[in-house]
Amino acid sequence: MKIYSFMASLKWPASFQGKIFLVCFVSTHVPLLSLLAFFVVRSELGASLPVLGVATLATLLGTGLAFAAMAAMMEPIRRSGRALSDYLAQGDFPDLPTDYTDEAGQLMSNVQRAVATIDRQVGRLADVALSDDMTGVRNRRWLNEYGIPMFEDYRKAGKGFGLLVIDLDQFKSINDTYGHAVGDQVILATADVIGENIRATDHLVRTGGDEFCVLMPSASSSEVAMVAERLRRAAGQSSGAAGLDHQVTVSIGAANLRRQDQGFLDTYRRADTFLYKAKQGGRNNAAIAS
């Protein structure tokens, strides 16, 4: 690294490619300068001018070809640098060739593999950060970072959007009677049942201990009501999956995005209000905001 450190300390040329060109220029002109010095020492400079002219022309031509070849040979380094910069700045995945075996080819191949490995690990970490530890469904962080912005996009575009707020009935009683381990199994089973009975385009989020919500992009009011009722009826399957003789039921509040809604909270509060009405109506109920 000593020679590189010395060259890097030079203020001119500033670029790595320029420094390589400087080395090449000096190296290719050593023979010409040596020949010139030889003729000067022997006092034969005048007679040797044709020879020096040919040597100078050949040296300049060779230098130009060397510079062009070196610029082309620098392309793997430039591509590797751009690939890393674009990935770090914008998340653009590179497409570097990986079938070359020399040092420059290995650099491109290693950059490609390294970015692919980092991208996979980042994706896994993102999934973990945005998923509920117990059930594996989306969590509040996902709701805040992706769910609500998605809702706002639909609202601004004037598209339909439905929302379900779901709460397990008398869940505290299940915990008190059967223990928290069984309560956890009920939550897991309920998440599975909900996931199996919503549309493929819907998003299930666990918002609290025994509370869930379902985001339903482009859903009509009839679709929201149909899914809500289907979930209410299917909730009892959680009992068998958790090994309970106690009937598991849920209460559901449902609402659709309205034109006058100013944001996600307006729709959510309306669904939550109807969840409370479902509870007041005797639980095991789905209350739909009209």
Side-chain angles (χ1 to χ4, degrees), residues 246-266:
H246 176 97
Q247 179 67 32
V248 174
T249 62
V250 297
S251 295
I252 303 172
N256 278 83
L257 171 63
R258 292 178 179 172
R259 184 175 302 175
Q260 63 267 31
D261 288 347
Q262 297 300 306
F264 177 80
L265 282 179
D266 288 346

mmCIF file of all heavy atoms in Angstrom, residues 246-266:
data_model
loop_
_atom_site.group_PDB
_atom_site.id
_atom_site.type_symbol
_atom_site.label_atom_id
_atom_site.label_comp_id
_atom_site.label_asym_id
_atom_site.label_seq_id
_atom_site.Cartn_x
_atom_site.Cartn_y
_atom_site.Cartn_z
ATOM 1 N N HIS A 246 -63.993 -24.235 25.472
ATOM 2 C CA HIS A 246 -64.612 -22.917 25.569
ATOM 3 C C HIS A 246 -64.784 -22.370 24.154
ATOM 4 O O HIS A 246 -63.867 -22.398 23.351
ATOM 5 C CB HIS A 246 -63.712 -21.998 26.399
ATOM 6 C CG HIS A 246 -64.199 -20.588 26.501
ATOM 7 N ND1 HIS A 246 -64.924 -20.125 27.582
ATOM 8 C CD2 HIS A 246 -64.063 -19.536 25.659
ATOM 9 C CE1 HIS A 246 -65.203 -18.839 27.400
ATOM 10 N NE2 HIS A 246 -64.687 -18.461 26.234
ATOM 11 N N GLN A 247 -65.969 -21.879 23.833
ATOM 12 C CA GLN A 247 -66.229 -21.337 22.500
ATOM 13 C C GLN A 247 -65.564 -19.979 22.337
ATOM 14 O O GLN A 247 -65.833 -19.047 23.083
ATOM 15 C CB GLN A 247 -67.743 -21.199 22.271
ATOM 16 C CG GLN A 247 -68.127 -20.625 20.919
ATOM 17 C CD GLN A 247 -67.771 -21.554 19.770
ATOM 18 O OE1 GLN A 247 -67.800 -22.769 19.928
ATOM 19 N NE2 GLN A 247 -67.428 -20.984 18.625
ATOM 20 N N VAL A 248 -64.656 -19.877 21.361
ATOM 21 C CA VAL A 248 -63.989 -18.606 21.073
ATOM 22 C C VAL A 248 -64.852 -17.816 20.102
ATOM 23 O O VAL A 248 -65.296 -18.332 19.075
ATOM 24 C CB VAL A 248 -62.595 -18.838 20.461
ATOM 25 C CG1 VAL A 248 -61.974 -17.510 20.028
ATOM 26 C CG2 VAL A 248 -61.690 -19.541 21.471
ATOM 27 N N THR A 249 -65.110 -16.582 20.456
ATOM 28 C CA THR A 249 -65.871 -15.701 19.561
ATOM 29 C C THR A 249 -65.137 -14.371 19.418
ATOM 30 O O THR A 249 -64.270 -14.028 20.237
ATOM 31 C CB THR A 249 -67.293 -15.437 20.087
ATOM 32 O OG1 THR A 249 -67.223 -14.759 21.354
ATOM 33 C CG2 THR A 249 -68.064 -16.742 20.243
ATOM 34 N N VAL A 250 -65.497 -13.633 18.390
ATOM 35 C CA VAL A 250 -64.906 -12.313 18.171
ATOM 36 C C VAL A 250 -66.014 -11.308 17.922
ATOM 37 O O VAL A 250 -67.110 -11.655 17.473
ATOM 38 C CB VAL A 250 -63.937 -12.299 16.975
ATOM 39 C CG1 VAL A 250 -62.746 -13.212 17.215
ATOM 40 C CG2 VAL A 250 -64.637 -12.639 15.671
ATOM 41 N N SER A 251 -65.701 -10.064 18.218
ATOM 42 C CA SER A 251 -66.557 -8.951 17.835
ATOM 43 C C SER A 251 -65.805 -8.128 16.799
ATOM 44 O O SER A 251 -64.581 -7.970 16.891
ATOM 45 C CB SER A 251 -66.914 -8.083 19.052
ATOM 46 O OG SER A 251 -67.702 -8.822 19.970
ATOM 47 N N ILE A 252 -66.543 -7.622 15.825
ATOM 48 C CA ILE A 252 -65.921 -6.941 14.691
ATOM 49 C C ILE A 252 -66.638 -5.628 14.416
ATOM 50 O O ILE A 252 -67.874 -5.577 14.364
ATOM 51 C CB ILE A 252 -65.967 -7.818 13.427
ATOM 52 C CG1 ILE A 252 -65.293 -9.166 13.679
ATOM 53 C CG2 ILE A 252 -65.323 -7.103 12.240
ATOM 54 C CD1 ILE A 252 -65.459 -10.159 12.542
ATOM 55 N N GLY A 253 -65.844 -4.579 14.263
ATOM 56 C CA GLY A 253 -66.362 -3.307 13.779
ATOM 57 C C GLY A 253 -65.828 -3.077 12.379
ATOM 58 O O GLY A 253 -64.637 -3.278 12.125
ATOM 59 N N ALA A 254 -66.686 -2.687 11.461
ATOM 60 C CA ALA A 254 -66.285 -2.542 10.063
ATOM 61 C C ALA A 254 -66.690 -1.172 9.542
ATOM 62 O O ALA A 254 -67.752 -0.643 9.894
ATOM 63 C CB ALA A 254 -66.920 -3.641 9.218
ATOM 64 N N ALA A 255 -65.842 -0.618 8.710
ATOM 65 C CA ALA A 255 -66.135 0.694 8.111
ATOM 66 C C ALA A 255 -65.451 0.793 6.758
ATOM 67 O O ALA A 255 -64.410 0.178 6.521
ATOM 68 C CB ALA A 255 -65.661 1.821 9.026
ATOM 69 N N ASN A 256 -66.052 1.586 5.895
ATOM 70 C CA ASN A 256 -65.451 1.903 4.599
ATOM 71 C C ASN A 256 -64.985 3.348 4.590
ATOM 72 O O ASN A 256 -65.545 4.205 5.293
ATOM 73 C CB ASN A 256 -66.447 1.688 3.461
ATOM 74 C CG ASN A 256 -66.541 0.245 3.043
ATOM 75 O OD1 ASN A 256 -67.263 -0.550 3.653
ATOM 76 N ND2 ASN A 256 -65.797 -0.130 1.994
ATOM 77 N N LEU A 257 -63.985 3.613 3.808
ATOM 78 C CA LEU A 257 -63.508 4.976 3.598
ATOM 79 C C LEU A 257 -64.623 5.826 3.009
ATOM 80 O O LEU A 257 -65.267 5.435 2.033
ATOM 81 C CB LEU A 257 -62.297 4.963 2.657
ATOM 82 C CG LEU A 257 -61.783 6.306 2.142
ATOM 83 C CD1 LEU A 257 -61.289 7.173 3.293
ATOM 84 C CD2 LEU A 257 -60.685 6.085 1.115
ATOM 85 N N ARG A 258 -64.861 6.981 3.628
ATOM 86 C CA ARG A 258 -65.867 7.923 3.125
ATOM 87 C C ARG A 258 -65.190 9.134 2.513
ATOM 88 O O ARG A 258 -64.055 9.467 2.861
ATOM 89 C CB ARG A 258 -66.785 8.365 4.263
ATOM 90 C CG ARG A 258 -67.690 7.260 4.803
ATOM 91 C CD ARG A 258 -68.521 7.767 5.953
ATOM 92 N NE ARG A 258 -69.427 6.747 6.483
ATOM 93 C CZ ARG A 258 -70.148 6.883 7.583
ATOM 94 N NH1 ARG A 258 -70.071 8.025 8.275
ATOM 95 N NH2 ARG A 258 -70.942 5.916 7.989
ATOM 96 N N ARG A 259 -65.896 9.789 1.630
ATOM 97 C CA ARG A 259 -65.338 10.942 0.934
ATOM 98 C C ARG A 259 -64.923 12.035 1.905
ATOM 99 O O ARG A 259 -63.925 12.729 1.690
ATOM 100 C CB ARG A 259 -66.361 11.476 -0.062
ATOM 101 C CG ARG A 259 -65.853 12.620 -0.924
ATOM 102 C CD ARG A 259 -66.879 13.021 -1.957
ATOM 103 N NE ARG A 259 -67.234 11.892 -2.829
ATOM 104 C CZ ARG A 259 -68.177 11.945 -3.756
ATOM 105 N NH1 ARG A 259 -68.888 13.067 -3.906
ATOM 106 N NH2 ARG A 259 -68.435 10.897 -4.502
ATOM 107 N N GLN A 260 -65.654 12.196 3.001
ATOM 108 C CA GLN A 260 -65.352 13.273 3.939
ATOM 109 C C GLN A 260 -64.241 12.915 4.930
ATOM 110 O O GLN A 260 -63.804 13.772 5.703
ATOM 111 C CB GLN A 260 -66.611 13.683 4.713
ATOM 112 C CG GLN A 260 -67.201 12.592 5.595
ATOM 113 C CD GLN A 260 -68.272 11.793 4.871
ATOM 114 O OE1 GLN A 260 -68.202 11.622 3.665
ATOM 115 N NE2 GLN A 260 -69.264 11.316 5.619
ATOM 116 N N ASP A 261 -63.793 11.664 4.933
ATOM 117 C CA ASP A 261 -62.711 11.269 5.836
ATOM 118 C C ASP A 261 -61.435 12.031 5.492
ATOM 119 O O ASP A 261 -61.007 12.071 4.335
ATOM 120 C CB ASP A 261 -62.443 9.764 5.745
ATOM 121 C CG ASP A 261 -63.563 8.950 6.383
ATOM 122 O OD1 ASP A 261 -64.394 9.540 7.099
ATOM 123 O OD2 ASP A 261 -63.592 7.717 6.176
ATOM 124 N N GLN A 262 -60.819 12.610 6.509
ATOM 125 C CA GLN A 262 -59.606 13.402 6.306
ATOM 126 C C GLN A 262 -58.327 12.578 6.435
ATOM 127 O O GLN A 262 -57.238 13.066 6.129
ATOM 128 C CB GLN A 262 -59.568 14.547 7.322
ATOM 129 C CG GLN A 262 -60.707 15.538 7.164
ATOM 130 C CD GLN A 262 -60.697 16.202 5.794
ATOM 131 O OE1 GLN A 262 -59.692 16.770 5.378
ATOM 132 N NE2 GLN A 262 -61.820 16.124 5.081
ATOM 133 N N GLY A 263 -58.455 11.349 6.883
ATOM 134 C CA GLY A 263 -57.276 10.506 7.055
ATOM 135 C C GLY A 263 -57.663 9.166 7.639
ATOM 136 O O GLY A 263 -58.847 8.854 7.859
ATOM 137 N N PHE A 264 -56.642 8.350 7.879
ATOM 138 C CA PHE A 264 -56.853 6.984 8.364
ATOM 139 C C PHE A 264 -57.611 6.966 9.676
ATOM 140 O O PHE A 264 -58.479 6.111 9.897
ATOM 141 C CB PHE A 264 -55.491 6.291 8.519
ATOM 142 C CG PHE A 264 -55.576 4.901 9.084
ATOM 143 C CD1 PHE A 264 -55.925 3.832 8.267
ATOM 144 C CD2 PHE A 264 -55.301 4.664 10.424
ATOM 145 C CE1 PHE A 264 -56.013 2.540 8.782
ATOM 146 C CE2 PHE A 264 -55.371 3.378 10.944
ATOM 147 C CZ PHE A 264 -55.727 2.311 10.121
ATOM 148 N N LEU A 265 -57.276 7.905 10.565
ATOM 149 C CA LEU A 265 -57.895 7.887 11.891
ATOM 150 C C LEU A 265 -59.407 8.056 11.833
ATOM 151 O O LEU A 265 -60.128 7.487 12.663
ATOM 152 C CB LEU A 265 -57.276 8.971 12.778
ATOM 153 C CG LEU A 265 -55.904 8.646 13.381
ATOM 154 C CD1 LEU A 265 -55.407 9.818 14.204
ATOM 155 C CD2 LEU A 265 -55.976 7.382 14.233
ATOM 156 N N ASP A 266 -59.906 8.816 10.883
ATOM 157 C CA ASP A 266 -61.360 8.991 10.765
ATOM 158 C C ASP A 266 -62.035 7.653 10.494
ATOM 159 O O ASP A 266 -63.046 7.306 11.127
ATOM 160 C CB ASP A 266 -61.688 9.978 9.642
ATOM 161 C CG ASP A 266 -61.335 11.408 10.002
ATOM 162 O OD1 ASP A 266 -61.089 11.664 11.199
ATOM 163 O OD2 ASP A 266 -61.305 12.253 9.102
#
